[in-house]
Amino acid sequence: MTVTTVSFLPRFNRPLSPLLSGLLLLSGCGTPLDVGVSVTPIERLSEEALGSEVTVEGVVGDRAPLLDAGAYQLQDETGEIWVISDDGVPEAGESLRVQGTLEQREILINQQDYGERYLQEQQRTPQ
């Protein structure tokens, strides 16, 4: 039996073929190559400025459906934060990477603020 290999790349580009194959494989995983994405531990979100864009990773815990949206708690090994989503709520136990805007809802009781920070989801991807 004779095996014939046919290359669609010119001879001078053959050393690039393993690199190109690897890039094609990686581009199918999650977001395109996830280059330059800085994931913030949830416990450090208290140090971030309100209104800033952050990316966190964790596992979905409690969930709460809302009228036009949904909320779910995202937990990592450092803490937890509520995420408000316009795309519904993911399943409990699902591992996610979430990019969003850090917000805080003010809840005043007897002139004392009991509000907490939350993340307004912009994008989520399974991990």
Side-chain angles (χ1 to χ4, degrees):
M1 177 157 105
T2 304
V3 176
T4 305
T5 304
V6 178
S7 173
F8 294 103
L9 295 174
R11 185 175 223 30
F12 60 88
N13 281 338
R14 282 195 183 161
L16 293 177
S17 58
L19 174 65
L20 293 174
S21 298
L23 287 174
L24 287 174
L25 286 173
L26 286 175
S27 66
C29 301
T31 58
L33 299 181
D34 293 332
V35 175
V37 173
S38 175
V39 176
T40 303
I42 292 175
E43 74 176 349
R44 294 203 24 232
L45 292 179
S46 62
E47 302 166 14
E48 299 289 329
L50 291 175
S52 62
E53 302 283 326
V54 296
T55 301
V56 294
E57 290 180 343
V59 177
V60 176
D62 290 338
R63 306 166 346 139
L66 304 173
L67 291 177
D68 293 331
Y72 59 94
Q73 198 171 47
L74 195 67
Q75 306 165 342
D76 69 7
E77 55 278 342
T78 68
E80 56 193 32
I81 189 166
W82 281 96
V83 179
I84 306 297
S85 174
D86 294 331
D87 293 329
V89 291
E91 295 296 320
E94 194 173 341
S95 293
L96 300 176
R97 174 179 283 179
V98 178
Q99 178 185 6
T101 306
L102 192 58
E103 304 288 342
Q104 182 161 345
R105 181 72 62 188
E106 185 178 83
I107 301 172
L108 290 177
I109 301 174
N110 295 328
Q111 280 89 30
Q112 192 164 16
D113 186 5
Y114 290 94
E116 68 178 77
R117 289 179 170 217
Y118 65 94
L119 200 59
Q120 181 64 51
E121 178 186 271
Q122 294 172 350
Q123 179 181 359
R124 73 175 176 232
T125 54
Q127 291 297 294

